[in-house]
Amino acid sequence: MTSVLVSVEAGVQTLTLNRPEKLNALNPEMHERLRAALEEAAGTPEIRAVLLTGSGRGFCTGQDLAERDVRPGAPPIDLSVSLGSYYNPLVRRMRALPKPIVCAVNGVAAGAGANLALACDIVVAARSASFVQAFSRLGLVPDAGGTYFLPRLVGTARAMGLALLAEKLTAEEAAQWGLIWKAVDESQLAPEARAIATRLASGPTKGYGHLKRALYASAGNSLDAQLDLERDLQRELGLSEDYREGVTAFKEKRTPRFTGK
Ligand code: LHQ
């Protein structure tokens, strides 16, 4: 069985983490497949949105701990190697992808699996799903962007509680806290997430790419720098075919037909 299923339909590239018996814990092969798929998404104009989900009852439980030999006498493990080789490039690739990534969290999202979800642009979770910053149970700090995403999304007090206590946060609570976009009934997860991804895939893709850049730059920018960035991005978008189409459609009182150009 392939550890990450990849398919493309109606402009949406769907990535399904597929090691359900391990709750989709990540191994190097899965990282390689995710990396290749996201490169394909970046370089293929017909792919205009990405949908990430998991198979079985879990979304992703982070690093596959079965791969870590911690028996007495085993050589020390340098965790910076897997972060540097796999997790950090993956999170960077996702955030810099100039196309929206929708995440359908179908079950528990733990450790780097939780933060993989938070690296996506829109997160929808089944009400039965949960988020666990499991790292402190292992004596680790949240990684895969956790220490960056958490305080920005929910504030330092809640981020600290989540990280120190490593308790499960339900999807419902996650939505109330602003950690994710919304929680939906389990039966609605796949159709709802797909509908969002399909809608985004027929939108102004270039505009969405610039929108990601602007919003993610915001946390590290002054107002002055952000105003300059908005001006520069808007200059480019004003020259796009989609802007012309959007304004024309408004004037003609019809639905715009965006091409992503
Ligand atoms: C797993 C895993 C798993 C292996 C479930 N590995 N088998 C990145 C790289 C570099 C530096 C270090 O850090 C990292 C980031 C990280 O992600 S560190 C954090 C790693 N993840 C965790 O600590 C979470 C571990 N999993 C759990 O705590 C539980 O599985 C949760 C609470 C998520 C779910 O509990 P249950 O619903 O009770 O399921 P379960 O524990 O029975 O899991 C089902 C199976 O999946 C079981 O296998 P088995 O053969 O016994 O049926 C688990 O061993 C396996 N599994 N997560 N990460």
Side-chain angles (χ1 to χ4, degrees):
M1 281 293 271
T2 312
S3 59
V4 179
L5 304 173
V6 182
S7 62
V8 179
E9 197 190 330
V12 178
Q13 181 196 60
T14 302
L15 307 176
T16 307
L17 306 173
N18 191 37
R19 286 212 308 153
E21 71 288 354
K22 296 280 180 198
L23 304 183
N24 303 316
L26 295 166
N27 61 19
E29 186 200 305
M30 293 169 83
H31 276 285
E32 297 295 354
R33 289 183 186 277
L34 286 170
R35 188 196 310 242
L38 289 170
E39 283 314 317
E40 189 198 357
T44 308
E46 292 74 29
I47 296 176
R48 294 167 64 188
V50 176
L51 174 59
L52 175 67
T53 192
S55 64
R57 72 176 178 90
F59 169 69
C60 177
T61 52
Q63 171 61 37
D64 186 338
L65 297 173
E67 297 202 335
R68 301 296 194 221
D69 184 356
V70 289
R71 289 170 302 179
I77 303 168
D78 181 350
L79 295 180
S80 74
V81 174
S82 53
L83 290 178
S85 309
Y86 295 119
Y87 289 85
N88 291 356
L90 175 61
V91 171
R92 288 192 175 108
R93 176 71 273 182
M94 291 168 73
R95 295 295 268 204
L97 189 77
K99 302 173 182 184
I101 306 179
V102 178
C103 187
V105 182
N106 52 297
V108 64
N115 296 333
L116 191 63
L118 301 184
C120 296
D121 305 308
I122 291 196
V123 186
V124 185
R127 261 181 250 287
S128 53
S130 55
F131 297 81
V132 198
Q133 293 294 322
F135 306 88
S136 64
R137 294 183 190 172
L138 307 175
L140 300 177
V141 296
D143 60 24
T147 60
Y148 181 92
F149 301 135
L150 288 170
R152 285 172 170 77
L153 288 167
V154 299
T156 305
R158 283 176 158 168
M160 196 60 94
L162 289 173
L164 282 175
L165 303 176
E167 289 173 1
K168 273 190 185 179
L169 189 74
T170 65
E172 201 95 47
E173 289 170 315
Q176 281 162 9
W177 286 19
L179 190 70
I180 64 170
W181 173 238
K182 63 159 90 164
V184 298
D185 288 342
E186 207 163 337
S187 62
Q188 287 309 301
L189 179 70
E192 176 107 20
R194 179 151 302 277
I196 294 172
T198 305
R199 179 181 146 189
L200 290 172
S202 61
T205 308
K206 194 171 180 186
Y208 290 157
H210 281 20
L211 186 161
K212 272 182 77 163
R213 245 181 88 185
L215 274 187
Y216 292 144
S218 164
N221 267 349
S222 64
L223 174 60
D224 265 350
Q226 197 66 17
L227 288 170
D228 287 350
L229 179 61
E230 289 174 2
R231 178 202 58 210
D232 295 345
L233 296 176
Q234 217 71 303
R235 176 191 296 125
E236 285 179 30
L237 291 174
L239 302 173
S240 71
E241 289 179 23
D242 278 344
Y243 173 66
R244 194 178 288 264
E245 167 61 8
V247 176
T248 306
F250 173 78
K251 289 182 176 171
E252 294 177 356
K253 300 190 187 301
R254 61 169 174 82
T255 307
R257 290 181 295 269
F258 292 119
T259 58
K261 292 175 191 150

